[in-house]
Amino acid sequence: MLLLKNVDAYTPAPAGRTDILIAGGRLVRVEADIRVPEGFCEVVEAGGVIAVPGFIDGHVHMTGGGGEGGYATRTPELLLSDAIKGGVTTIVGCLGTDGVTRSLEGLLAKARGLADEGLSTFIYTGHYSVPVQTITGSIERDLLLIDKVIGVGEVALSDHRSTQPTFDEFARVAAQSRRGGILSGKAGVVNVHMGDGLRGLSLLRRLAAETEIPVTQFLPTHINRNPTLFGEGIAWAKGGGFVDFTTSTVPQFLAEGEVKCSAGLRRMLDAGVDIGHITFTSDGQGSMPDFDAQGRLKRLDIARVTSLWVEVRDAVQQDGVALATALRVVTSNPARILKLTGKGQLVAGADADLVLLDADTLAIRGVMAGGAWLMRDGHVLAAGTFE
Ligand code: ZN
C-alpha cells in the first residue's frame, strides 16, 4: 500500500493537485487531500511531479521482427528495461512480415514472459499474411480461447510484402475478427499494416462502404509513412475511423517524406480530426534501414519502444499540443479502442500503472506497473531474466 501526495495528475484530463492511494495493484482513490492514519502505509511526497497513466504501446514486435535483408537482419526480442525506460506498462505484441521463423506460439510465450516480469501484455493473432495463420485453427477460436489474443494483425495491405488479399478474402478476415471479438467481449480489432503502395486505404474504404462491418473494426497503422497516406488517414479519421501513427523513425525516412508524429498530430487536430480517433505506437523491435548520404545501406537500426514518449513529448514541447490532449494517444485512446479494461486512465479502480514525469522537462522519472515500481527517481529498478 502506498500514498502518493500532491502529484499534478492527468487522468489524462488535467486533475490538478491530487493524491493517489494504491493497494493490491490498483488505484484505490484518486482525489485531493487523502488522509490516512499515521503509519498506515508508505507516504511519498511527490509535489512538483506530474503523474499520468502508464503508456500503452499497441504494436510491438516483442519477439523481434525484420529479416527483410536476409537471416542476419532478423531483429532481437524486446528487453523489459526498454519498455520501462519508455514508460510503457501495457504492450500488444505482433508478428510482422515473417510468420515462418517467427511463430504465434513464440509470441504468446514472450507475452507471458513479459507479464511474469511485471508488464501487462496482449497479442494479435496472425501476421502479414492472408489466409491468416492462427494458433487454434481460426481467428474466432484464438479470440475466444486465448485470453491474450485481442484481434488480428498486422495484416499487410498496399505493400509489396503483402500477400495481396482480394476484397472478399480481406472482408472474411475482418468478419471473423469482429465475430470473435463480439463473442469474447474483446475488441477484435484488425490491425492493418499500411505500405507505401498507391492503393492506400482504398480496400478499407470499400469494406466500409460495401459490408456491414463498421469502420471502427480497423486500426490502420504506419499512417504517417508518406504524405499521401497521411492525407488519406485524415479523411478516414474524419469519416469515423481510427488511425495509428508509428513513432520509430530514422532521418532518412523523414527526409523522404515521412510525417514526424508530433507534427502530424498537430496537423490532424488542425484539420478537424477528433483526438479520440488517433493512437501512437512504436513498431518496437521492427527493423529500420539506415542509409548513408549516397543512399547505401550502412546498417539496420531497430525501432524502439522508447520512441513512443519522445513523440508525445515533442507534440507538447515543439508543436503546441496540450499535454492532456497528447497523452490520450498513448493512454485512454488505445485502452478504449482495444478494450483494455483497467488501462489508460488514472481513476479509482484502474490498474496501478502510472508514469511520473519531471514537471519542467517531461522526462520520465518514475514508472509503476501493477503497483510495483519499475523505475524510481530516474533509476530502472527491474531487469528481464537475462539482462
Ligand atoms: Zn508494419
Side-chain angles (χ1 to χ4, degrees):
M1 190 174 269
L2 174 74
L3 179 60
L4 285 175
K5 293 289 291 180
N6 298 314
V7 295
D8 183 11
Y10 286 76
T11 69
R17 184 185 278 206
T18 305
D19 296 350
I20 303 176
L21 183 64
I22 297 157
R26 296 280 175 93
L27 306 179
V28 179
R29 291 170 68 190
V30 181
E31 56 199 56
D33 203 22
I34 299 172
R35 290 163 195 261
V36 293
E38 188 80 27
F40 181 71
C41 67
E42 184 189 354
V43 179
V44 177
E45 177 55 50
V49 170
I50 294 173
V52 303
F55 305 143
I56 299 166
D57 193 340
H59 189 109
V60 178
H61 300 283
M62 52 172 66
T63 53
E68 285 126 325
Y71 300 116
T73 63
R74 296 167 80 257
T75 60
E77 293 196 358
L78 178 73
L79 297 174
L80 176 66
S81 59
D82 287 335
I84 298 171
K85 287 172 199 162
V88 173
T89 55
T90 299
I91 301 183
V92 185
C94 57
L95 298 180
T97 321
D98 182 358
V100 175
T101 77
R102 314 275 190 184
S103 72
L104 285 168
E105 291 82 357
L107 183 66
L108 180 60
K110 176 69 178 181
R112 288 183 175 153
L114 288 168
D116 286 347
E117 292 174 344
L119 304 180
S120 295
T121 56
F122 303 90
I123 64 170
Y124 284 113
T125 191
H127 67 295
Y128 267 32
S129 292
V130 176
V132 171
Q133 292 173 34
T134 62
I135 296 176
T136 64
S138 77
I139 296 167
E140 284 182 85
R141 288 179 63 84
D142 279 9
L143 276 159
L144 276 157
L145 301 178
I146 304 173
D147 289 351
K148 287 205 180 292
V149 174
I150 60 163
V152 59
E154 56 173 323
V155 181
L157 291 182
S158 306
D159 192 295
H160 63 99
R161 296 161 293 179
S162 162
T163 52
Q164 314 300 336
T166 64
F167 173 82
D168 289 343
E169 287 170 335
F170 194 74
R172 228 157 267 140
V173 169
Q176 287 168 14
S177 195
R178 176 165 178 79
R179 283 161 47 97
I182 289 169
L183 294 170
S184 61
K186 298 173 180 173
V189 158
V190 185
N191 189 236
V192 188
H193 161 102
M194 298 310 309
D196 278 315
L198 294 175
R199 286 175 292 176
L201 297 174
S202 58
L203 192 59
L204 295 186
R205 283 194 298 268
R206 227 189 115 194
L207 273 161
E210 297 180 28
T211 74
E212 297 76 20
I213 299 167
V215 289
T216 49
Q217 206 69 37
F218 305 97
L219 183 54
T221 188
H222 316 317
I223 204 74
N224 56 314
R225 74 182 307 146
N226 68 56
T228 308
L229 185 64
F230 188 78
E232 284 189 63
I234 291 175
W236 174 257
K238 290 181 83 166
F242 302 129
V243 289
D244 184 52
F245 293 48
T246 299
T247 55
S248 291
T249 191
V250 291
Q252 178 85 9
F253 291 175
L254 293 170
E256 288 170 358
E258 184 178 285
V259 179
K260 181 172 158 54
C261 287
S262 61
L265 179 59
R266 173 84 263 167
R267 279 178 54 193
M268 279 219 179
L269 295 173
D270 289 348
V273 172
D274 179 343
I275 181 65
H277 287 246
I278 304 170
T279 60
F280 280 13
T281 59
S282 73
D283 206 15
Q285 301 308 112
S287 66
M288 298 185 300
D290 187 12
F291 300 95
D292 66 14
Q294 282 73 46
R296 290 173 304 217
L297 183 66
K298 277 195 303 187
R299 66 188 189 107
L300 280 168
D301 226 327
I302 301 171
R304 301 283 179 190
V305 165
T306 46
S307 68
L308 194 70
W309 178 242
V310 170
E311 288 301 323
V312 177
R313 193 197 60 200
D314 284 356
V316 176
Q317 295 178 332
Q318 298 177 14
D319 298 284
V321 179
L323 177 59
T325 304
L327 276 170
R328 287 182 58 180
V329 304
V330 292
T331 59
S332 57
N333 288 355
R336 187 188 80 254
I337 293 166
L338 301 175
K339 278 199 179 180
L340 306 179
T341 308
K343 302 299 181 190
Q345 286 189 289
L346 288 188
V347 293
D351 294 342
D353 299 343
L354 53 89
V355 172
L356 300 180
L357 302 169
D358 182 284
D360 296 323
T361 64
L362 299 183
I364 296 171
R365 299 291 298 162
V367 179
M368 176 182 283
W373 289 110
L374 301 179
M375 180 199 287
R376 205 165 175 179
D377 300 325
H379 300 291
V380 175
L381 301 179
T385 308
F386 298 107
E387 293 191 66

